[in-house]
Amino acid sequence: GLDRTMEWDLLEVLRECDDLEALTDPWRRVAVEHLLGEIEQSIPALLRLRRGLIHNDANDHNVLVSGDAVCGLIDFGDLLESALVGELAVAATYVMTDTDDAVDCCADLVAGYHEVYPLRDDELAAMYPLICARLCLSVVHSARGIAADPQNTYIIVSERSAWQLIYRLLGTHPDHLEAKLRSACGLQAKGPRSRDRALTDRHDRLSTALSLNHEEPLKIGRGVMQHLYDESGRQYLDLVNNVCHVGHCNPRVVRAAARQMSRLNTNTRYLHDNILDYSERLVAKLPAPLEVCFFVCSGSEANELALRMAEVATG
């Protein structure tokens, strides 16, 4: 009976969270959509993880402790066969909540687990998406539950803590977490370059005509909507980039781009309906006699084209 499909199986998160209508706050919905996008990219690797029987709900209310050691577990309602490291990811999710040093707390837990039951490389890499999966399941189920039964406050007992951790993870690069976990386990880190190493390599490999902003250049690890995050997870409000008007990594745009790239990625040398449909929609918003489009790749290219057209038109 353990080989079953259930709502708290981390590997079923995309199916369980396919409908986010219960998340009425638009920013919260975007945050969950972003994490689900991260998880979706990891699904092939997650499905290849070691499998086994797991308790699947090692939270503060279900772990019994004597002194400084775990002595038992209660509540086996979520027991199932799934990725073994899912057990650790669920526990880590709760260890990381309501703390200012979430990543360090996670690293301590993982290091202790690794001493007793050594983790593989793919399992350490899976910790970030599996923690995200647990959080997404938690907040989506809470939102659905409270919508169905507004008086049942038990449903949202951990909701505030879950959202705080979600926002923190949005600013934590998966490679950064994996590097921390590997270091805590005494394994060689596989993380990204340090800022200083990146500066040195850039000087060696890129033309100096490509300028850097800021006296102390930022090493940006990721972007989420209006924010950028550096390698340490520090959040910056982006008032500089003039491309991402719809937000960095906007889930709707990411899905649309992935859908198109999986079908066709070419240029204007060929006939295709998409560019014609787009031009018709664009022209419909412009006053006459503007009715012909010229598509370019950047603002600089558009400015150069405008100057050339003006010169041709006026002599």
Side-chain angles (χ1 to χ4, degrees), residues 60-132:
D60 301 10
H61 303 284
N62 291 340
V63 179
L64 306 180
V65 177
S66 177
D68 60 357
V70 173
C71 63
L73 294 166
I74 61 173
D75 187 356
F76 293 87
D78 293 340
L79 197 74
L80 84 160
E81 181 188 329
S82 187
L84 281 172
V85 74
E87 188 86 281
L88 181 59
V90 171
T93 304
Y94 290 99
V95 165
M96 294 170 76
T97 57
D98 296 322
T99 178
D100 292 331
D101 53 350
V103 172
D104 289 338
C105 289
C106 180
D108 288 342
L109 176 69
V110 170
Y113 186 98
H114 181 72
E115 282 185 19
V116 178
Y117 193 83
L119 292 158
R120 304 191 319 192
D121 284 352
D122 60 346
E123 290 168 329
L124 287 166
M127 284 295 291
Y128 183 92
L130 290 176
I131 291 169
C132 291

Side-chain angles (χ1 to χ4, degrees), residues 272-291:
H272 197 276
D273 287 345
N274 280 7
I275 195 169
L276 300 175
D277 293 341
Y278 180 59
S279 62
E280 288 173 358
R281 292 172 60 191
L282 192 61
V283 167
K285 296 180 180 295
L286 300 174
L290 300 177
E291 57 184 19

Side-chain angles (χ1 to χ4, degrees), residues 171-233:
T172 303
H173 197 287
D175 290 348
H176 175 66
L177 178 64
E178 183 183 352
K180 276 274 192 178
L181 301 185
R182 292 184 64 83
S183 177
C185 294
L187 304 173
Q188 184 175 357
K190 292 183 177 180
R193 294 175 174 84
S194 68
R195 176 184 164 280
D196 290 342
R197 170 69 185 279
L199 272 173
T200 300
D201 288 353
R202 181 183 172 107
H203 182 269
D204 292 340
R205 298 286 176 260
L206 300 185
S207 167
T208 54
L210 302 174
S211 61
L212 282 166
N213 284 350
H214 312 295
E215 184 176 341
E216 291 291 330
L218 300 176
K219 186 168 189 287
I220 297 298
R222 67 192 309 165
V224 182
M225 301 308 289
Q226 72 270 36
H227 293 121
L228 291 173
Y229 298 87
D230 68 14
E231 58 185 342
S232 69

Side-chain angles (χ1 to χ4, degrees), residues 37 165 198:
L165 185 53

